[in-house]
Amino acid sequence: MEHLLFDVQEGIATITLNRPEARNAFSIEMIERWVKALEECRDREDIRVVVLTANGKAFCAGGDVKAMREGRGFLERGEATLDTHSTALARKNSLWKLIQRVPLTLDQVDKPVIAAVNGDAIGAGCDMALMADMRVVADTARFAEAYVKLGIVPGDGGAYYLPRLVGMPKALELLLTGDMIDAEEALRIGMVNRVVPAEQLLEETYRLARKIAAQPPVAVQLIKRAAYQSATADLRTALDLVSSHMAIVTETEDYREAVQALLEKRQGVYKGK
């Protein structure tokens, strides 16, 4: 059974983690397929929105605890011959060259990414949910940055993403205790966007995805860039960047279509040009 599924329908790409028997813990196959899927999302012009979800009861358990217990590193190797655990350098490279390629590649994807969190997101699985642009979560989902309980550090971006979402004091509380929080608490502290009944998760996620996919795609991509660029830039730099973005979007066919559609009180039809 493939450890990760990838599908594109009507401008929306869906990446589905597919190791339900292992609570969608990482394997080399999963990570390699994940990176390739993200590269395709980055490069294909027909993809406008990306949805990340999982099969089974859990969203993602992150690192494979069974592999850790048996001294085989952080992830299931399957038939791979790559050394991922024998030395400190091998363990570092298993993160840098494998697992961390997911956030590094995702950082190149200009299209909005929505995580549909169907169940527990633990450790690196929590990090993978946090690295999406938005999170729609089932009311049964739970989150934990559980690294400290295994005597390890957040190796997949938790120390980067979590403080940016909930602030440093709350992030440190969650990182240093490893405490589990439920969906409602995650919503209260600003970790997630929406909490919905579990049986409505995909319906609500795709409703949001379709709403975004129906917008002018060049504008959507540049708005995402502007938001992330502005988060790390001074005001003058942020305004300079967005003025360049404005100059570009007003040259597009979609800009003219959007203005006309507004005047005619109809939904615009956009080509990404």
Side-chain angles (χ1 to χ4, degrees):
M1 183 170 62
E2 294 182 357
H3 290 186
L4 183 139
L5 307 176
F6 181 65
D7 181 58
V8 181
Q9 299 287 337
E10 299 180 343
I12 300 173
T14 302
I15 298 172
T16 305
L17 310 185
N18 194 40
R19 290 189 72 207
E21 77 288 351
R23 295 174 57 80
N24 294 308
F26 295 158
S27 68
I28 289 180
E29 178 191 330
M30 176 188 286
I31 296 299
E32 289 178 340
R33 288 179 177 270
W34 203 334
V35 171
K36 289 179 180 177
L38 289 173
E39 289 174 341
E40 193 164 342
C41 293
R42 176 194 65 198
D43 297 338
R44 282 178 53 172
E45 293 186 1
D46 63 316
I47 294 175
R48 298 188 178 186
V49 180
V50 182
V51 171
L52 171 65
T53 191
N55 284 331
K57 295 182 178 180
F59 176 72
C60 181
D64 195 312
V65 177
K66 181 179 178 181
M68 294 184 211
R69 182 187 64 196
E70 296 173 358
R72 295 186 284 110
F74 305 123
L75 72 173
E76 177 56 53
R77 293 168 57 194
E79 297 179 359
T81 58
L82 180 67
D83 178 9
T84 59
H85 65 279
S86 67
T87 66
L89 180 59
R91 293 189 292 278
K92 173 182 171 58
N93 283 338
S94 73
L95 290 173
W96 179 247
K97 294 183 178 182
L98 288 170
I99 297 173
Q100 290 176 349
R101 287 178 63 201
V102 174
L104 289 170
T105 306
L106 185 58
D107 192 54
Q108 302 170 10
V109 178
D110 286 333
K111 293 82 178 258
V113 179
I114 307 170
V117 183
N118 56 300
D120 288 355
I122 309 299
C126 182
D127 296 347
M128 294 297 176
L130 298 182
M131 67 182 64
D133 301 309
M134 292 162 274
R135 282 151 294 283
V136 179
V137 309
D139 55 6
T140 53
R142 300 182 299 174
F143 300 85
E145 289 282 354
Y147 297 94
V148 70
K149 293 188 175 182
L150 292 170
I152 56 178
V153 299
D156 309 288
Y160 177 88
Y161 295 107
L162 192 57
R164 286 165 167 78
L165 288 171
V166 305
M168 186 63 74
K170 190 63 180 180
L172 283 173
E173 178 187 336
L174 294 173
L175 289 164
L176 297 178
T177 64
D179 284 351
M180 183 96 71
I181 62 172
D182 62 20
E184 290 298 333
E185 175 66 5
L187 180 65
R188 187 188 71 80
I189 64 176
M191 184 186 291
V192 307
N193 295 73
R194 303 179 185 182
V195 176
V196 301
E199 64 274 13
Q200 298 176 19
L201 176 64
L202 291 182
E203 177 185 349
E204 292 298 324
T205 300
Y206 284 112
R207 180 178 289 118
L208 175 60
R210 286 191 295 270
K211 187 173 185 179
I212 296 171
Q215 306 301 328
V218 176
V220 168
Q221 292 175 33
L222 291 183
I223 288 171
K224 176 176 173 176
R225 285 192 198 179
Y228 281 107
Q229 289 166 339
S230 297
T232 57
D234 59 84
L235 176 62
R236 183 175 294 273
T237 301
L239 292 177
D240 188 32
L241 285 167
V242 81
S243 66
S244 298
H245 295 337
M246 183 69 82
I248 292 170
V249 294
T250 51
E251 287 290 320
T252 64
E253 294 178 18
D254 283 349
Y255 162 70
R256 292 187 288 275
E257 165 65 7
V259 173
Q260 192 65 32
L262 182 63
L263 292 173
E264 296 175 0
K265 298 181 180 180
R266 61 174 173 81
Q267 175 63 47
V269 179
Y270 304 113
K271 302 177 181 178
K273 298 180 180 180

